Amino acid sequence: MPMSSAPLLPDHRYLQILQQHFGAWHWDSGQHRLHCCPLWLQHLTDIPLPATLGLRTLLRLLHAQDRLLLYQRWRARHENFWCELRLLQQNGSYRWIRLQACRLQDGGDEAVQLVGLSSDIHPQRQAEEQIYDLCQQLQQSEALYRALMQHSSDAIFIFDESGQRLTTCNQRASDLSGYSAEELQRLQRDQLIIGSTAKLDPCGNGLHHDLQLRCRDGRLLPVDVSCSRVPVGAHSLLQCVLHDISSRKATEDQLRHLAHHDPLTGLPNRLLLRDRLEQALRKANRNGSQVVLCYLDVDRFKQINDRFGHDAGDCVLCEVARRLRACVRASDTVARLGGDEFVALLQDIDPHTPFDSITDKLIAQLRQPFTLPCLQNNISCSIGISIYPRTSQTIDQLLNHADSAMYQAKQQGLDLQIFSPKTR
């Protein structure tokens, strides 16, 4: 038996479907009449319209900017007619339609017969406008990003997906590094940003402190680096923003120096002296050597201040500091404890070798006349000495015993006195 075919839709159903998607029309230029499918127009506009429209009615249904375009296309003597227009809807908005037609006959400028179809292209035009708007936004965003990048106060380096090859940078990156943009393009990230492997992990985002930028002149500039991965299509780029922290580092170094040094003479202060003493004692224990601590006080310093003023006293203290530094080795330490009290820390002294040569040099230097703008006189000093581990076993004992020996030397009018428990 033959298979039964699916029942066909009635003809009027086919026409309904077609008329909702396409509108057939005929234009008679001689009568200035448009004959069209009213169902299609009403479906698009929600406006009840007759099957035949006059020219004025037709033009009122079009956007004002599209009327001249339609007129020009109709006047053109092309075999095929094509146009996209905006059609008025009942709510006052416009909907895009496409007109396509061909000429049936041409009886002169005023006798043109057009037969064609109209289709709804509003969703397509909306999508195109959205794409155009997105493209415009992307272009504006890119232009804004480039403007911000070029005017940033920080250096910005953008590397490829591997995180090594430089793809672009801003002007600040060139100014900070000293390289031209062309020279930077030939350098790898590891040649520019110096730091530990962990800190320079190309996959790691975040802020990395205390790295260095290698400049063209060889300087290593301290920088903080903020790294982030920027997705671009199927790939991602590595953006590194370098913030110059050299001023901050200089301030930190200055504060650190002030915390550990005497502001007048620039010598280590009591805090730094204790740290140096700890290191010296550990070294003496390892090497079986001695630590010699010389505690020095300027004789009659109060009289100098009272007679010549505090400026003269400061000059004397600075000159004493200079002479003490000139007498000791680079490995030794000269510190100012305050007022007119100084300490010379002599470390790693051989217990079998006398250190008289150093102390004699100290006394000889201090006995030299002080020739200063406000003072020309000889200055005497009293020195007390304690020795680790012979006379003292701790830092506090070294300082206290040397201070006690210095006081004994001053009372007895001696230049130097070595601490001994017997004479304490």
Side-chain angles (χ1 to χ4, degrees):
M1 294 179 62
M3 297 180 63
S4 61
S5 60
L8 296 174
L9 291 173
D11 290 345
H12 70 276
R13 293 285 302 277
Y14 282 117
L15 289 175
Q16 256 187 341
I17 294 172
L18 289 172
Q19 288 173 357
Q20 285 181 356
H21 293 82
F22 301 97
W25 56 273
H26 169 234
W27 171 254
D28 184 352
S29 65
Q31 297 181 2
H32 297 287
R33 292 288 178 180
L34 177 70
H35 305 277
C36 63
C37 173
L39 182 62
W40 185 78
L41 275 177
Q42 186 172 348
H43 171 70
L44 288 183
T45 64
D46 291 329
I47 302 175
L49 294 169
T52 301
L53 299 177
L55 180 60
R56 290 185 178 179
T57 302
L58 173 63
L59 292 178
R60 282 199 298 269
L61 290 174
L62 298 180
H63 194 283
Q65 296 177 357
D66 297 337
R67 295 167 188 169
L68 179 60
L69 173 63
L70 178 63
Y71 177 77
Q72 291 173 342
R73 294 291 174 89
W74 273 345
R75 296 287 296 174
R77 293 185 176 276
H78 297 301
E79 182 178 351
N80 295 321
F81 173 86
W82 178 90
C83 190
E84 292 184 354
L85 306 168
R86 283 162 287 184
L87 189 65
L88 179 66
Q89 298 182 92
Q90 190 176 25
N91 61 8
S93 62
Y94 287 90
R95 193 173 188 88
W96 282 96
I97 62 171
R98 177 180 291 144
L99 305 181
Q100 292 175 288
C102 61
R103 293 176 184 272
L104 290 181
Q105 63 183 48
D106 191 350
D109 290 344
E110 301 299 327
V112 178
Q113 301 291 327
L114 293 175
V115 176
L117 289 175
S118 302
S119 56
D120 180 14
I121 62 167
H122 193 72
Q124 176 185 342
R125 287 301 295 257
Q126 279 187 318
E128 291 175 355
E129 289 175 359
Q130 288 176 355
I131 292 174
Y132 176 79
D133 290 342
L134 286 174
C135 291
Q136 290 293 103
Q137 292 175 13
L138 286 173
Q139 291 178 357
Q140 292 173 1
S141 298
E142 182 180 2
L144 177 61
Y145 174 76
R146 290 189 175 276
L148 291 174
M149 178 178 171
Q150 290 302 327
H151 292 87
S152 172
S153 59
D154 292 328
I156 300 177
F157 296 87
I158 298 180
F159 300 93
D160 64 2
E161 191 165 18
S162 69
Q164 285 296 332
R165 189 178 65 84
L166 184 70
T167 60
T168 187
C169 62
N170 63 353
Q171 183 60 42
R172 177 59 176 161
S174 182
D175 296 340
L176 195 63
S177 65
Y179 290 102
S180 65
E182 292 76 15
E183 290 173 326
L184 286 171
Q185 295 282 344
R186 296 192 290 267
L187 297 175
Q188 298 289 311
R189 178 176 55 85
D190 291 342
Q191 295 175 291
L192 285 169
I193 305 174
I194 310 301
S196 68
T197 304
K199 289 183 178 179
L200 289 176
D201 180 7
C203 299
N205 294 342
L207 182 62
H208 306 290
H209 297 283
D210 297 328
L211 301 182
Q212 293 176 316
L213 173 66
R214 191 190 300 276
C215 301
R216 195 175 189 276
D217 58 7
R219 289 181 300 116
L220 294 178
L221 196 67
V223 291
D224 283 346
V225 181
S226 176
C227 296
S228 58
R229 279 286 176 178
V230 181
V232 180
H235 306 283
S236 65
L237 303 178
L238 178 65
Q239 176 179 270
C240 295
V241 181
L242 276 65
H243 181 63
D244 179 11
I245 59 171
S246 55
S247 297
R248 190 189 79 193
K249 284 290 185 183
T251 301
E252 290 176 355
D253 291 341
Q254 184 178 10
L255 291 174
R256 193 177 298 111
H257 180 86
L258 290 174
H260 293 88
H261 291 79
D262 171 50
L264 176 63
T265 62
L267 294 177
N269 60 13
R270 187 182 296 270
L271 181 64
L272 183 54
L273 174 64
R274 293 190 70 90
D275 182 69
R276 299 280 177 86
L277 276 168
E278 289 177 0
Q279 297 178 33
L281 264 58
R282 286 196 296 267
K283 188 175 182 180
N285 291 332
R286 289 195 307 268
N287 301 341
S289 57
Q290 293 186 138
V291 174
V292 176
L293 189 70
C294 303
Y295 203 111
L296 182 143
D297 178 89
V298 178
D299 296 330
R300 296 176 297 280
F301 181 73
K302 185 178 182 302
Q303 297 178 12
I304 296 175
N305 274 335
D306 293 343
R307 181 178 178 184
F308 300 102
H310 289 281
D311 289 342
D314 290 345
C315 290
V316 170
L317 294 177
C318 290
E319 179 63 16
V320 169
R322 186 192 68 78
R323 295 187 184 188
L324 289 175
R325 277 196 299 255
C327 294
V328 301
R329 301 164 301 174
S331 59
D332 298 328
T333 298
V334 175
R336 182 188 176 202
L337 302 185
D340 61 333
E341 296 179 337
F342 294 84
V343 165
L345 168 61
L346 313 178
Q347 62 174 324
D348 204 22
I349 301 296
D350 188 338
H352 305 294
T353 302
F355 52 85
D356 297 353
S357 58
I358 301 177
T359 55
D360 290 344
K361 188 176 181 180
L362 286 174
I363 296 172
Q365 281 288 329
L366 295 174
R367 282 178 176 174
Q368 296 294 322
F370 281 63
T371 305
L372 301 172
C374 54
L375 173 67
Q376 292 187 0
N377 203 346
N378 292 341
I379 302 294
S380 63
C381 297
S382 300
I383 302 176
I385 293 178
S386 61
I387 304 170
Y388 175 87
R390 188 200 305 175
T391 65
S392 310
Q393 281 69 49
T394 65
I395 292 176
D396 289 333
Q397 286 181 356
L398 276 170
L399 290 169
N400 292 334
H401 292 172
D403 184 21
S404 177
M406 181 272 296
Y407 183 72
Q408 292 177 10
K410 188 180 291 288
Q411 283 188 326
Q412 299 174 18
L414 302 175
D415 293 324
L416 182 145
Q417 176 68 51
I418 297 177
F419 174 80
S420 172
K422 297 178 181 179
T423 59
R424 186 176 181 179

